[in-house]
Amino acid sequence: MDTAIAEKKKAIHPGAGRRNTRIQPKGRQVDPAALAEVQELLGEGSRNRDLLIEHLHKLQDRFHCLHARHLAALAAEMRLALVEVYEVASFYAHFDIVMDEEQAPPPVTVRVCDSLSCCMAGGEKLLEELPAKLGPDVRVVRAPCMGACHNAPAVAIGHALHEHATADSVAEAVAHGHTHPHIPDYPGLEAYKAEGGYGLLRACLDGARTPDSLIEALESSNLRGLGGAGFPTGRKWRFVRQEAAPRLMAVNGDEGEPGTFKDRHYLETDPHRFLEGMLIGAWVVEATDVYVYIRDEYPQCIAILAREIAAVEAAGLSPHTRIHLRRGAGAYICGEESAMLESIEGKRGLPRQKPPFPSVVGLFGRPTLINNVETLFWVRDIVEKGADWWASHGRNGRKGLRSFSVSGHVRNPGVKLAPAGITMAELIEEYCGGMADGHALKGYLPGGASGGILPASMADIPLDFGTLEQHGCFIGSAAVVVLSDRDDMRAVLRNLLAFFEDESCGQCTPCRVGTEKAVKLVDQPAWDEPLLTELAQVMTSASICGLGQAAMNPLKSVLKHFREDVL
């Protein structure tokens, strides 16, 4: 009887009982014309999974957005599931996905920095004025810190950084098509070699130096990671070298902390000193490959490095390792080392759980040495001049030099190379020309948005690792933002909390929900201080990475030091 029923069903529904009756395969079909465009754009380059973000950049740069048809074609070309391409493309702020029925954005996008230093210099007003000034053929959007805090306000016109921006100057730049980055003058390879550059690297490659001797020099100097965490550099090199080969190296050039621009300064003014330190580090830990990750907001630095890395390779200065230059895509979270590794691998920048630490299981699962740009910049000087030279600098019992990125209400903002342990009062008076006219010091951020806020009455604390933690702050990457008596502390705090809300990767609930909740709470006329305090405790204790753990530091500082301004 079952057979008779089945035969009857087949007579009524001819497809019943058969498999694979779908006329077309499931999912979005690949458009042959889009596939041809993708293939032409990628050329003979690799289709490896870790190059997904690089290929998305090529599409974004060519078509000013990511059309759905191109994403489907790219997935087919790279042999990835379409969802893998979409989840990465939708994670990063600098990619614009356009579905079939949607209109593509205008060919020119103007990004207006809305981070603290730029807002203090008129960024919000600029954001209001530009849409009407530029018209409907130009898209104007908010954007986080661009590393131009000392020349605020800043905007990016396409990929061109435009500093000290006004509505008129931006309109003029757009009208003249100034959408490509300006490459500043800098010493190239031959000029650097003429000053003794790459002599130390040559000595390493020729066997005149040993890896242990370089590690000992760094350990003696007590050079610490200058990207924010402050881990001893020599010790990190030793840990990685002790792990089983093959080993890798990754350079963190994603300095997205609001108020920070020192890595940009060194890449623009002396790139080979950084590159030599990087190549020495790769030699010490025997890294087969080095991945240099630079934030997309620094197109001029990417262009400089692309040119000079090619020159280094042509000169035979990197026989011991392969150098890969990778471009970020607008995600502050990728400044966290494990999120950066995920991004280099072509994935969303989601921080990893630790342990294991990257020195053991890092990039592509291999032991990985991670240093930031400035840390590597100092390697040559410390080894050649000796640990005593480095230690000869410092004040108030501290040793070494610190590159302070100073912005805000001072006469002369910029990168200030000063002794470790200098106080805020000394830094302002001796290196910044004092406070700006008509402004009196009210407070300062010693370590960017996540480093907390201290009042003017605490401007005599030495600025260095380990000196600020007892006050609920830290120096981090030494991003100093100077506040004055004209600043509204509620507005300052909201700006910082909104930054963390926008930049949370969303992976863990305490940070994803907590950052959004914090902004809503401080927007209320009367603050629920017990609830804010409880929220801060949960986020600090339960968030996966430093973003969520430190996001409430500004709130804690304001409640402690500026209560009369906000309550």
Side-chain angles (χ1 to χ4, degrees), residues 193-529:
K193 288 170 64 178
E195 297 292 330
Y198 290 108
L200 178 58
L201 176 63
R202 286 288 190 190
C204 294
L205 296 176
D206 294 341
R209 298 270 191 168
T210 66
D212 283 340
S213 69
L214 268 69
I215 291 175
E216 290 169 2
L218 294 179
E219 288 178 333
S220 298
S221 70
N222 197 32
L223 175 67
R224 299 177 66 166
L226 299 173
F231 192 85
T233 303
R235 190 187 308 172
K236 180 184 287 189
W237 287 23
R238 189 179 296 280
F239 285 166
V240 175
R241 183 172 169 78
Q242 290 171 349
E243 295 296 323
R247 294 177 285 271
L248 300 174
M249 182 177 182
V251 177
N252 192 339
D254 194 67
E255 60 168 1
E257 183 75 19
T260 310
F261 44 90
K262 59 187 179 62
D263 287 354
R264 171 195 168 187
H265 170 78
Y266 288 121
L267 291 174
E268 288 182 350
T269 58
D270 201 354
H272 282 282
R273 194 172 300 269
F274 150 68
L275 288 173
E276 182 171 11
M278 178 190 79
L279 290 171
I280 290 170
W283 175 79
V284 168
V285 302
E286 298 176 358
T288 60
D289 294 81
V290 179
Y291 290 80
V292 186
Y293 188 90
I294 304 295
R295 64 190 311 227
D296 198 32
E297 290 85 351
Y298 290 173
Q300 71 283 8
C301 298
I302 295 172
I304 290 170
L305 288 176
R307 180 190 302 167
E308 298 310 315
I309 287 172
V312 164
E313 293 172 337
L317 292 168
S318 59
H320 55 300
T321 192
R322 294 180 293 271
I323 307 173
H324 310 266
L325 181 59
R326 293 294 175 86
R327 176 180 168 189
Y332 165 75
I333 191 61
C334 290
E336 196 278 334
E337 61 178 12
S338 65
M340 178 191 68
L341 298 182
E342 291 287 300
S343 190
I344 291 173
E345 293 178 5
K347 305 172 186 175
R348 294 176 293 166
L350 301 180
R352 300 174 180 175
Q353 294 278 10
K354 301 174 186 177
F357 293 95
S359 59
V360 180
V361 180
L363 192 58
F364 306 116
R366 298 180 181 180
T368 303
L369 173 64
I370 302 176
N371 285 129
N372 90 305
V373 169
E374 193 201 352
T375 306
L376 297 170
F377 181 89
W378 290 112
V379 167
R380 174 193 164 191
D381 283 332
I382 289 174
V383 175
E384 287 186 343
K385 298 178 181 179
D388 290 342
W389 166 80
W390 182 256
S392 68
H393 301 280
R395 292 186 187 178
N396 300 307
R398 316 304 294 184
K399 295 181 180 180
L401 293 167
R402 295 289 176 269
S403 301
F404 294 94
S405 303
V406 185
S407 62
H409 300 299
V410 293
R411 281 198 180 94
N412 303 312
V415 174
K416 310 298 180 181
L417 184 60
I422 193 171
T423 67
M424 189 70 245
E426 293 168 339
L427 183 65
I428 291 174
E429 292 303 317
E430 297 178 30
Y431 289 83
C432 303
M435 293 292 293
D437 292 340
H439 291 267
L441 180 65
K442 181 172 187 174
Y444 62 99
L445 285 67
S450 58
I453 310 174
L454 291 173
S457 61
M458 301 176 71
D460 57 350
I461 301 173
L463 298 176
D464 198 14
F465 297 110
T467 62
L468 302 171
E469 284 76 1
Q470 61 181 312
H471 306 290
C473 297
F474 56 80
I475 193 171
S477 59
V480 175
V481 182
V482 180
L483 307 175
S484 83
D485 54 346
R486 297 187 183 183
D487 291 313
D488 179 350
M489 293 308 297
R490 269 193 176 235
V492 168
L493 176 61
R494 195 202 183 281
N495 180 282
L496 299 174
L497 294 180
F499 169 79
F500 290 118
E501 178 190 15
D502 289 341
E503 295 299 328
S504 173
C505 75
Q507 180 179 195
C508 69
T509 302
C511 180
R512 180 183 66 251
V513 177
T515 52
E516 180 182 3
K517 185 68 173 178
V519 172
K520 290 180 178 178
L521 288 173
V522 300
D523 277 341
Q524 300 301 313
W527 287 4
D528 187 338
E529 187 174 355

